[in-house]
Amino acid sequence: MRLGRLLLAALLGLVLVGSLTTAAHADPRWVFYSKDKTHYQSPWFKGTHRIMLPFGCTKAPYYSPDPRCSARRGFHHGIDVAMPCGTPLYAGRGLRVVSNASLGPAYGAHPLRLRNRTLGWDLVIGHTRRVYVREGQRVKRGTMFARASDSGAPDGCHLHFEQRAIGGGLSTAVWPRALLRLTRPSR
Ligand SMILES: [Zn+2]
């Protein structure tokens, strides 16, 4: 069956191209401290991406020992989602830009602190580089407002999402899973 063979060849070609483009987008510096291999989608970013480092006690080496964690492990206050440098970041909800000032080198040079007073959260996003909004600006849901980068991230391009209480410090940080609305893409 010539047609069958042709179709098979075309299919194989598609699979090959697909795997090549995936490999081209992977960052060789990424290290995944999670068994979850799901590529999640979210209204906050373009494409589907893996969680690199979840919230909570971690054996990742960048954090100083925390009394909440055993074996001198550190505590990660947000979740890291691995994504290629330049991946667009969208406002998953309406929000106001509270700050674009430095939070120390761990968050990169241009972190964002965003707020939704009605829903009762602040969202700190680290490792953004190109930021298209300014402090005080109101941003509508769906607006592209920054891009992912490796600013302050030796472990490759990713975004750090950290949910805090309004005006709260690190100790108020909680799992941002509901806020980020991470879901498995439907096939
Ligand atoms: Zn992080």
Coordinates of all heavy atoms in Angstrom, one line a residue, residues 53 63 76-80 127 158-161, ligand 1:
L53 N 10.3 23.1 40.7 CA 10.5 23.0 42.1 C 9.2 23.4 42.8 O 8.7 24.5 42.6 CB 11.6 24.0 42.5 CG 12.1 24.0 43.9 CD1 12.6 22.7 44.4 CD2 13.2 25.1 44.1
Y63 N 18.8 26.9 49.2 CA 18.1 27.5 50.3 C 18.7 27.1 51.6 O 19.1 26.0 51.8 CB 16.6 27.1 50.2 CG 16.0 27.3 48.9 CD1 16.1 26.3 47.9 CD2 15.5 28.5 48.6 CE1 15.6 26.6 46.6 CE2 15.0 28.8 47.3 CZ 15.0 27.8 46.3 OH 14.6 28.1 45.1
H76 N 11.1 26.4 50.1 CA 10.9 27.2 48.9 C 9.5 27.8 49.0 O 8.5 27.1 49.2 CB 10.9 26.2 47.7 CG 10.8 26.9 46.4 ND1 10.0 26.5 45.4 CD2 11.4 28.0 45.9 CE1 10.1 27.3 44.3 NE2 11.0 28.3 44.6
H77 N 9.4 29.1 48.9 CA 8.2 29.8 49.3 C 7.2 30.0 48.1 O 6.1 30.6 48.2 CB 8.5 31.2 49.9 CG 9.1 31.1 51.2 ND1 10.4 30.9 51.4 CD2 8.5 31.1 52.4 CE1 10.7 30.9 52.7 NE2 9.6 31.0 53.4
G78 N 7.6 29.5 46.9 CA 6.7 29.5 45.8 C 6.8 28.3 45.0 O 7.3 27.3 45.5
I79 N 6.3 28.3 43.7 CA 6.6 27.2 42.8 C 7.3 27.7 41.6 O 7.1 28.9 41.2 CB 5.4 26.4 42.4 CG1 4.5 27.1 41.4 CG2 4.6 25.9 43.6 CD1 3.4 26.2 40.9
D80 N 8.3 26.9 41.1 CA 9.1 27.3 39.9 C 8.5 26.5 38.8 O 8.4 25.3 38.8 CB 10.5 27.0 40.1 CG 11.2 27.9 41.1 OD1 10.6 28.9 41.5 OD2 12.4 27.6 41.5
H127 N 12.3 36.4 38.4 CA 13.0 36.0 37.2 C 12.4 36.5 35.9 O 12.7 36.0 34.8 CB 13.2 34.5 37.0 CG 13.7 33.8 38.3 ND1 14.8 34.3 39.0 CD2 13.2 32.8 39.1 CE1 14.9 33.6 40.1 NE2 14.0 32.7 40.2
H158 N 13.1 30.2 34.0 CA 11.9 29.8 34.7 C 11.2 31.0 35.4 O 11.8 32.0 35.4 CB 12.2 28.6 35.7 CG 12.8 29.1 37.0 ND1 14.2 29.2 37.1 CD2 12.3 29.3 38.2 CE1 14.5 29.6 38.3 NE2 13.4 29.7 39.0
L159 N 10.0 30.7 35.9 CA 9.4 31.8 36.7 C 9.1 31.2 38.1 O 8.8 30.0 38.2 CB 8.0 32.2 36.0 CG 8.2 33.1 34.8 CD1 6.8 33.3 34.2 CD2 8.9 34.4 35.1
H160 N 9.3 32.1 39.0 CA 9.0 31.8 40.4 C 7.7 32.5 40.8 O 7.6 33.7 40.7 CB 10.2 32.2 41.3 CG 9.9 32.2 42.8 ND1 10.2 31.2 43.6 CD2 9.3 33.1 43.6 CE1 9.9 31.4 44.8 NE2 9.3 32.6 44.9
F161 N 6.6 31.7 41.1 CA 5.3 32.3 41.5 C 5.2 32.1 43.0 O 5.2 31.0 43.5 CB 4.2 31.6 40.8 CG 4.2 31.8 39.3 CD1 4.7 30.8 38.5 CD2 3.6 32.9 38.7 CE1 4.7 31.0 37.1 CE2 3.6 33.1 37.3 CZ 4.1 32.1 36.5
Ligands
ZN1 ZN 11.6 29.7 43.1

